[in-house]
Amino acid sequence: MRPRSPAALLAPLTLFLAATATPLALPSGFGIAGFWVYWYEPVLAAAFVWAVPRVVLTRTARISLASLTLWLFAGTLIGLFLAYPTSKIIGDIRYPLELTVAVVVAAAVVQDSRCLRATAVTLRLSLWVSALLTLSASAGLLVLSGRSEAASLISDGGGAAQRFLTSATFFALATVCFCLARALVLKRGLDSWSWWLPGILIVLLAFSRNHVLAVGVALTLAICVASWATLPRILIAALASVSLYWVMFIVLPPTIDDLPIGNWYAAQIGGYADRVIEGLNPSVRSADPSARYRTSEIVYLGRAFSDSIFVGHGFGFPYQPPVLSKSGDFWLDRARYYSHNFYWWTAAKTGLLGLTTIAVAFGWPMVRGLRSTSSTVRCGAVALGAALAVSYLAPLPLDTPGTLVVGGLLGLVLGWIPAKTQPITIGLERLPHPTSPSTESVDVDKL
């Protein structure tokens, strides 16, 4: 079944443009008035225009969006009052504003069964395309847009492995967390393999420690909201995970050493062991330049917060001195305004007012989602909780396209929570559907 109108394809198109890894040879957007505009951004704006007259906002959704709006308005007003450069205020507010727009679009999508189906198909297509491109880049066949660097932190053993952080990375992570929750809460995991398999490939080749945090939080939340009947499944899954680790890291490397893929696989295993597993060791983190820089960011942010506790310094505030580098370089310019810790960034820019508003905007819907009688809503809330946890180390609301990950998950929860009206089917259960008169089913496992 196709979406009702071509305009309903705007949301799936936004998702594909934002969430798909691309070769470096393809431009990611275009420049205008000194800003770089990504291809998905004008499409997202058009999707917002489509979504506004269609979305039904419940009380929870209105409170969440009002809190986000207050946060954006307060930070901008303070920045204008303190006469920061307009370009810097725009740079600070740009992605949080996109997050708010994404909330509305995602809420409208889940309230339209046919658009939801098209979006789910698009996500799966994007994950598979991104996984294949990432594997090709890992094999040295092409160069991807985004960050690519050596995976190893502490030795040369994994130096041949490269980690890839692309536009697909955090979408893949959110998908993996949702599928993990679904496996525990709905007791169905294998039938959604066409989503989590490419997601796991993308996540593994990112060699990122914050992904371990996300999966750990998702697992913890999923266990908390699952019934006692899932305990045997959790124990079986834990045993299977240990067995898989033993096979992948101990048994398989020497077995395939003589095969053409053997050297590549050994490099990936070495890089993952060095950067992710050993990188969790406190002594290794203390020697990691990236971790040390994040610590220094928090020191500067803490000082800024203590200087203006209640309302902060506003958007456009440079909370740390510039680092001498080439003109226009990230470390000279953008790093003064950007932080790897979303919550400390919010505290410095908008004080306790900002922290309170984002706690209401994100926390209340997540708690309601976790307490929902709908298993699928609980899975969405679990994935949202994982994304919010990652934002302590990798600020998804402050960068592209991570802002769409958080905004999309929040919109899904807000769109699924509410109204006691016509139900639809998503996955394996019936969910409240506040707008569509249609009773047709959407089974994401059979798309």
Side-chain angles (χ1 to χ4, degrees), residues 38-270:
Y38 294 92
W39 295 120
Y40 76 84
E41 291 180 307
V43 185
L44 175 65
F48 178 74
V49 174
W50 166 83
V52 166
R54 290 166 174 80
V55 67
V56 173
L57 298 178
T58 62
R59 182 172 178 270
T60 302
R62 290 196 298 270
I63 292 174
S64 179
L65 287 171
S67 298
L68 288 174
T69 302
L70 175 59
W71 173 48
L72 297 176
F73 178 77
T76 303
L77 186 63
I78 295 169
L80 291 173
F81 178 77
L82 296 176
Y84 298 135
T86 303
S87 62
K88 302 307 179 185
I89 297 176
I90 294 174
D92 273 354
I93 197 177
R94 174 182 179 180
Y95 295 119
L97 179 61
E98 280 189 11
L99 183 150
T100 307
V101 170
V103 171
V104 176
V105 173
V109 166
V110 300
Q111 293 171 4
D112 186 316
S113 58
R114 284 175 280 190
C115 186
L116 176 59
R117 180 185 178 91
T119 304
V121 171
T122 301
L123 175 60
R124 182 169 60 182
L125 174 62
S126 173
L127 289 173
W128 278 106
V129 170
S130 300
L132 293 175
L133 288 176
T134 305
L135 283 171
S136 299
S138 182
L141 301 179
L142 54 84
V143 179
L144 292 179
S145 296
R147 287 177 55 192
S148 174
E149 59 190 18
S152 178
L153 278 177
I154 62 175
S155 73
D156 295 330
Q162 294 287 308
R163 64 190 299 247
F164 299 93
L165 300 175
T166 69
S167 56
T169 301
F170 285 109
F171 285 96
L173 180 63
T175 302
V176 170
C177 291
F178 185 93
C179 291
L180 174 62
R182 185 178 179 278
L184 296 180
V185 176
L186 283 173
K187 305 179 185 179
R188 298 286 297 273
L190 294 178
D191 53 359
S192 58
W193 66 270
S194 59
W195 274 271
W196 57 253
L197 179 57
I200 287 176
L201 289 173
I202 295 168
V203 167
L204 289 178
L205 290 175
F207 296 92
S208 180
R209 287 164 289 179
N210 59 52
H211 295 173
V212 178
L213 171 64
V215 173
V217 170
L219 179 62
T220 302
L221 292 176
I223 292 174
C224 290
V225 300
S227 65
W228 284 104
T230 62
L231 182 58
R233 297 176 60 86
I234 294 172
L235 295 176
I236 293 173
L239 180 61
S241 299
V242 172
S243 301
L244 181 62
Y245 176 86
W246 180 71
V247 170
M248 291 181 62
F249 283 80
I250 307 300
V251 175
L252 201 54
T255 304
I256 64 173
D257 185 54
D258 295 331
L259 298 178
I261 199 177
N263 290 335
W264 175 85
Y265 184 80
Q268 311 311 308
I269 293 298

